[in-house]
C-alpha cells in the first residue's frame, strides 16, 4: 500500500539520484527522515546543511545502531540516507533487512578511499507495506 507521504518523499528524492551525491541529498527535507555521515571521509559532512537530523560516526556504526536506528526502524516509515564507507554500508544493509528495509539507491563517490574503503552514498527505505508510513 503506497501512501501519500510515500509518493511525496520518493517524488522528491528519486529524480535527484542521478545528479551526483550533492543532488541526491538536495531533496533531503522531502525525501529523507535523517542522514548518516561517516566522518572518516573528508567532504562527507558538506551535506549536513540539510534540515534533517544528521547522525555522525567514524567507521563503526554500532553506537548509532543501538542508540538510534534500531528503535526508528522498528516503527513504520523512516527513510535514511547516508554517506559512509562501503564497510559500514554492508553492516547497515544487513541490519536493515531484518527490519523490513533495503538499500534502494547506492553509488560509489569520487572521494579518496580511506584505508582501502570506498565512500558510498545510499538510501535505505522500507520495502514491505507493513513498514511504510
Amino acid at each position: 500500500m503506497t501512501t501519500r507521504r510515500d509518493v511525496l518523499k520518493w517524488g522528491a528524492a528519486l529524480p535527484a539520484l542521478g545528479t551526483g551525491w550533492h543532488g541526491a541529498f538536495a531533496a533531503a527535507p522531502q525525501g529523507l527522515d535523517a542522514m548518516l555521515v561517516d566522518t572518516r571521509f573528508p567532504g562527507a559532512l558538506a551535506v549536513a546543511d540539510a534540515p534533517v537530523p544528521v547522525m555522525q560516526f567514524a567507521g563503526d556504526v554500532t553506537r548509532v545502531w543501538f542508540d538510534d536506528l534500531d528503535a526508528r526502524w522498528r516503527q513504520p516509515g523512516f527513510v535514511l540516507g547516508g554517506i559512509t564507507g562501503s564497510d559500514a554500508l554492508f553492516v547497515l544493509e544487513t541490519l536493515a533487512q531484518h527490519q523490513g528495509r533495503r538499500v534502494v539507491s547506492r553509488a560509489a563517490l569520487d572521494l579518496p578511499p580511506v584505508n582501502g574503503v570506498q565512500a558510498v552514498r545510499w538510501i535505505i527505505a522500507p520495502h514491505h507495506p507493513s513498514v511504510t508510513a
Side-chain angles (χ1 to χ4, degrees):
M1 174 172 81
T2 302
T3 66
R4 182 176 181 271
R5 182 174 182 228
D6 293 332
V7 172
L8 291 173
K9 288 172 81 167
W10 288 108
L14 289 179
L17 293 177
T19 63
W21 66 278
H22 267 298
F25 295 118
Q30 298 85 21
L32 301 175
D33 293 308
M35 292 178 50
L36 184 60
V37 178
D38 190 336
T39 59
R40 294 181 295 174
F41 298 96
L45 282 173
V47 298
D49 286 346
V52 295
V54 175
M55 297 171 274
Q56 299 179 32
F57 72 102
D60 183 0
V61 296
T62 305
R63 183 59 35 215
V64 174
W65 170 254
F66 281 114
D67 290 348
D68 200 35
L69 291 181
D70 183 45
R72 288 186 187 212
W73 281 352
R74 290 178 187 272
Q75 299 172 0
F78 195 75
V79 176
L80 180 67
I83 295 176
T84 67
S86 56
D87 53 350
L89 178 56
F90 174 78
V91 172
L92 290 166
E93 187 170 17
T94 302
L95 295 170
Q97 289 175 354
H98 295 288
Q99 298 293 342
R101 283 143 173 75
R102 68 175 170 210
V103 176
V104 296
S105 170
R106 130 186 28 224
L109 296 176
D110 191 21
L111 295 174
V114 174
N115 296 325
V117 176
Q118 179 66 46
V120 180
R121 72 164 166 79
W122 48 265
I123 295 175
I124 294 175
H127 67 87
H128 188 275
S130 67
V131 293
T132 59

